[in-house]
Amino acid sequence: MTPVRTQTATPAAAAPSAGPSRRGWHRLEAWAKCPQSHSYRYNLGLEPVRVPEPLALGSLVHIGLMWHYLALAGRSVEDPVECMRTAPERIAYCFERARVIFLAYREHYPVEPFDVLDVEREFDVRVGGHLHTQRMDLVVRWTGPVVAIDHKSSGGSLAAASREWEMHGQFISMELLGRHVLAPTYDLPWGGTVVNVVGTG
């Protein structure tokens, strides 16, 4: 089955969002795990009053990284730390820990080895007539090719966390979109996906 590229990639100037894409792997996975929970979230728009701490911490760090890389791309003057602090209360209760992690990350990578092309941009493709979308955390030009970078947080072994994602449906989706959408969109060869695992332990 050959995927068909569509022409509706979200414009680079669209408002940034670190949330899930319209019809991507996260929604499919949520449905496979529990259709009722999926319906509460995606049909009724219900959110938990308080997100479990590991997820809340990861979400806050993700928000910080989004605004950090938007600034590197020259597309934002927002303060990433302030954006984390003013996130919804269901995740903002972890702000102090997230702030420390984000600042350590920024200090650890004062210079990046790539050029930022896009941040949190949604791409889509049709597979067997069905729409499939993916929001790419970070799209960069890295020594020539276009590369997709996905941020993950982990409180355990970073190497084990990286291996955990290798055969995950989200990354299979990113490879599909990388070859058939990102490469032609940026007119660059496809260089693959990098998992940016941020330690939270």
Side-chain angles (χ1 to χ4, degrees):
M1 182 182 306
T2 303
V4 178
R5 180 185 176 206
T6 61
Q7 302 296 319
T8 57
T10 304
S17 168
S21 65
R22 289 171 293 152
R23 198 168 189 278
W25 178 258
H26 289 301
R27 289 185 185 229
L28 296 173
E29 186 177 42
W31 173 263
K33 286 180 177 176
C34 178
Q36 188 65 61
S37 176
H38 177 280
S39 182
Y40 287 150
R41 180 171 184 186
Y42 295 110
N43 295 338
L44 299 178
L46 300 178
E47 295 280 359
V49 173
R50 177 170 279 210
V51 173
E53 187 170 344
L55 296 176
L57 190 58
S59 295
L60 282 176
V61 171
H62 199 114
I63 288 169
L65 292 175
M66 176 182 76
W67 290 106
H68 170 66
Y69 285 110
L70 282 167
L72 282 188
R75 289 177 44 205
S76 171
V77 294
E78 298 288 340
D79 175 16
V81 174
E82 183 64 13
C83 291
M84 290 191 295
R85 189 185 68 77
T86 57
E89 179 54 35
R90 65 180 175 273
I91 61 174
Y93 73 94
C94 289
F95 166 71
E96 197 50 47
R97 282 188 64 202
R99 182 186 68 81
V100 170
I101 293 164
F102 170 75
L103 293 176
Y105 177 95
R106 194 163 64 179
E107 183 179 341
H108 189 73
Y109 296 106
V111 178
E112 295 286 11
F114 48 70
D115 299 315
V116 177
L117 299 175
D118 261 313
V119 180
E120 296 294 346
R121 182 173 176 184
E122 182 181 292
F123 296 88
D124 59 50
V125 68
R126 289 198 174 270
V127 181
H130 300 284
L131 177 68
H132 181 76
T133 64
Q134 176 81 42
R135 189 182 308 283
M136 302 292 183
D137 292 348
L138 188 59
V139 180
V140 302
R141 180 171 46 240
W142 200 330
T143 62
V146 58
V147 171
I149 299 178
D150 194 81
H151 309 307
K152 298 293 182 193
S153 59
S154 172
S157 162
L158 303 190
S162 280
R163 288 193 298 274
E164 173 190 337
W165 294 103
E166 287 179 357
M167 292 304 295
H168 190 273
Q170 178 189 359
F171 289 91
I172 294 170
S173 164
M174 291 175 78
E175 182 69 20
L176 172 76
L177 280 152
R179 292 175 182 273
H180 295 279
V181 181
L182 270 70
T185 295
Y186 300 101
D187 195 24
L188 293 169
W190 172 236
T193 302
V194 170
V195 185
N196 179 28
V197 185
V198 180
T200 59

